[in-house]
Amino acid sequence: MAVVHRLTTGWLLDHLSFINQCGYEMCDSFAYPGDVAINTSVSSTNDHPTFVTTSSRDGPGDALETQGKRARTRYVFREEFFHISKAHIAAAPEEQLLQGSPELSLTEMKASSSKRKRKCIFNQGELDALEYHTKVRKFIWEGTLHLVQEGLKSGFLHCAAAAPSSGKNVVPGRIDCGLAELCEMAKQLPAVNDGDHQAVNVLGDETTIPEQDLLSCVTENNSNCAKIVVLMGQKYLVPPKSSFLLSDISCLQPLLNYKKKYDVIVIDPPWENKSVKRSNRYSYLSSWQIKQIPISALAAPDCLVVTWVTNKQKHLRFVKDELYPHWSVKTLAEWHWVKITRYGEFVLPLDSVHKKPYEVLILGRVQGNIKEALRKSEDVLPVPEHKLIVSIPCSLHSHKPPLAAVLAEFIKPDVECLELFARNLQPGWTSWGNEVLKFQHIDYFTLLQNET
C-alpha cells in the first residue's frame, strides 16, 4: 500500500509501491498488447512545424507468442531510484545534536547558521526563512520521529546500524525526451478553439491517429490495462483509467474543451528561483503567469486545491495572500513533505541554512455555492491544519510523492482529480503539463514477463 503507517501527525508513504500498484500490466495478446505507437516526426514548412503521426501495433517484442501460449507482461518502476541510503549532505556533529532536540529558538538558529556562513549578516529573506523554520521545526522533528519509529518497527525502514559506511545514492542519467521543446514548437500550430476540434482521443486499436491529437486534445486510456505510446521514437507507459494533455501553458484550451469539473486540483508550479536560473534545468513561471491559470473554469464547487510551494517565504506568502484569493480559494491548511533515507534520517540536515529536508503544501477550498459545498462536505472529514507526509524521495528530480491516498479521507470517493504541471500519470486522474509523460518513460521501468 502507498500508506505504510498513519498516525495523528501524518503518514509514512511508500512512493515506489504506489507506482507499481498503478497497474502497468499489458492485456493478453499474441502481439504487443494495447500498444498505440504515436510516431511523431517534426518538419518545418512555411515557418510552421508539421507533425506527421502514425500508429502501429508493433512493439519492441516485450510480449511474445511462444509455443502457442499467450505472454502476459508487466512493468515495475526501477527500485534503485528509491535507494536513498545516505543523506545528501552529512550533518556536522553540532548539527546532529541540534537535530536531536525538538525545540530550538530563533537566537539559537541564527547562532548555528552563522557558524556555517562566511558572514553573519542575514538578508531579509534568510531571516524570514529562519523564523518560519523555528515555528514548524518542533512539529516536523517530533512527527517525523514517530513515523520513522513505526517504519523501523515494521521493517519498512532499516536500522541505521545497517547503513553502508560508504557508497552513494543512485543518480540516474537524464533522459532527454524533448517534451517541453515539442510543446514549444506546437505553439506555432493554429490555435484550438472551443468546439472546432475533438475534445478527447481514446487510446484503442485504431490503425491511425490524426496528427496533432496528442498536442491538441486530451488523451484517455479507458481500458483496464496499461498501454504504450511512442512519441518521437521514445516509449511511454500510460496506466489504465488515466488521461493526459501534453501542452504548453499557453495551450490550455483543449483541457477546457474536455468539459470536466474537478473536485481535487493539485498544482506543482515551476517556481522561479536562483538554482533553476543557474542550472537551466526547466523553464519557470512568474507569479503573474501562475495567477492566469483558469482554476475557476476547471474547479467544481468546494474543490480541494493543493499547491506545492518551495521553502521560499516569498512564494508561501504569494500563495496565501494573492494566488488563492485571486482564485477564490480559502486557505485551510499547511502540510509538509519530509524526505528521509531508507534508514530514517533526514536527507538534508534539518537546520541546513539553504536547503531543508522538507517542502510545503498549501491546501484550500474553492469558495462559491454554499448549498452545493455543504452537500459535498457531508461525510467528509475537515482538512487538518497541519500534517506530515514522510517518504523516501525518488532520485529523479521533482518526482513528487502521490497524494491520492492521503487526500482520500478528505474527499468523497470516485471524484474527478486533476494535476497541473504533472510529470507523471495516475489512474483515475487527468494530468496536464509540458512534460506530463516524463516519468512514464519506459526506461524508468523494468519488464517482467510471465506466460499464462
Side-chain angles (χ1 to χ4, degrees), residues 228-246:
I228 292 179
V229 296
V230 183
L231 175 62
M232 298 191 298
Q234 304 291 321
K235 298 179 179 65
Y236 302 91
L237 286 163
V238 181
K241 306 299 182 183
S242 66
S243 57
F244 68 91
L245 172 65
L246 173 66

Side-chain angles (χ1 to χ4, degrees), residues 317-331:
R317 287 194 296 266
F318 166 72
V319 171
K320 294 178 179 179
D321 300 339
E322 291 187 49
L323 186 63
Y324 276 12
H326 178 74
W327 287 341
S328 298
V329 173
K330 179 182 179 181
T331 300

Side-chain angles (χ1 to χ4, degrees), residues 321-350:
D321 300 339
E322 291 187 49
L323 186 63
Y324 276 12
H326 178 74
W327 287 341
S328 298
V329 173
K330 179 182 179 181
T331 300
L332 300 176
E334 188 173 305
W335 293 2
H336 294 85
W337 170 38
V338 183
K339 293 170 269 189
I340 59 171
T341 70
R342 298 170 67 197
Y343 302 95
E345 303 167 317
F346 293 115
V347 297
L348 292 164
L350 181 57

Side-chain angles (χ1 to χ4, degrees), residues 81-308:
F81 292 138
F82 287 91
H83 281 181
I84 307 299
S85 301
K86 299 177 69 66
H88 301 318
I89 302 174
E94 65 272 14
E95 291 172 327
Q96 292 172 355
L97 290 173
L98 291 176
Q99 286 187 6
S101 172
E103 294 190 72
L104 200 64
S105 69
L106 183 58
T107 302
E108 290 173 310
M109 278 293 301
K110 288 180 180 178
S112 174
S113 300
S114 296
K115 294 178 183 179
R116 299 187 294 273
K117 288 175 64 73
R118 293 178 182 177
K119 55 184 181 180
C120 298
I121 301 174
F122 295 89
N123 61 40
Q124 189 57 50
E126 291 172 327
L127 289 173
D128 291 345
L130 280 173
E131 183 177 0
Y132 175 82
H133 179 67
T134 303
K135 292 178 180 178
V136 302
R137 186 186 188 281
K138 180 180 179 182
F139 178 73
I140 290 174
W141 188 89
E142 291 183 338
T144 302
L145 176 63
H146 293 152
L147 286 164
V148 165
Q149 288 173 338
E150 292 300 312
L152 290 170
K153 290 177 185 177
S154 67
F156 174 70
L157 300 175
H158 305 281
C159 178
S165 57
S166 60
K168 296 182 179 179
N169 299 325
V170 174
V171 180
R174 181 179 177 183
I175 299 176
D176 190 2
C177 306
L179 296 173
E181 291 79 4
L182 178 63
C183 292
E184 185 67 25
M185 287 188 290
K187 289 163 64 175
Q188 300 178 46
L189 294 169
V192 175
N193 298 315
D194 188 9
D196 68 356
H197 195 278
Q198 68 183 69
V200 61
N201 172 53
V202 179
L203 295 179
D205 297 331
E206 59 266 61
T207 56
T208 60
I209 298 176
E211 62 181 32
Q212 303 181 25
D213 271 6
L214 194 65
L215 295 146
S216 60
C217 70
V218 173
T219 298
E220 288 183 349
N221 177 11
N222 289 332
S223 75
N224 293 317
C225 301
K227 293 184 183 292
I228 292 179
V229 296
V230 183
L231 175 62
M232 298 191 298
Q234 304 291 321
K235 298 179 179 65
Y236 302 91
L237 286 163
V238 181
K241 306 299 182 183
S242 66
S243 57
F244 68 91
L245 172 65
L246 173 66
S247 82
D248 181 84
I249 192 172
S250 62
C251 304
L252 277 175
Q253 189 59 46
L255 187 60
L256 301 177
N257 291 349
Y258 198 37
K259 302 296 184 182
K260 283 194 175 184
K261 294 286 187 177
Y262 297 94
D263 301 281
V264 178
I265 300 179
V266 175
I267 311 167
D268 186 14
W271 295 103
E272 179 181 0
N273 62 59
K274 291 180 181 179
S275 65
V276 169
K277 288 182 177 179
R278 286 195 301 265
S279 67
N280 196 30
R281 183 158 29 195
Y282 59 83
S283 59
Y284 56 84
L285 296 179
S286 67
S287 298
W288 180 85
Q289 289 173 303
I290 295 172
K291 287 176 72 172
Q292 305 314 305
I293 299 171
I295 293 298
S296 60
L298 296 167
D302 203 39
C303 170
L304 180 63
V305 179
V306 184
T307 304
W308 288 95

Side-chain angles (χ1 to χ4, degrees), residues 21-33:
Q21 289 172 3
C22 287
Y24 290 107
E25 186 171 283
M26 315 304 291
C27 296
D28 289 340
S29 175
F30 287 106
Y32 200 38

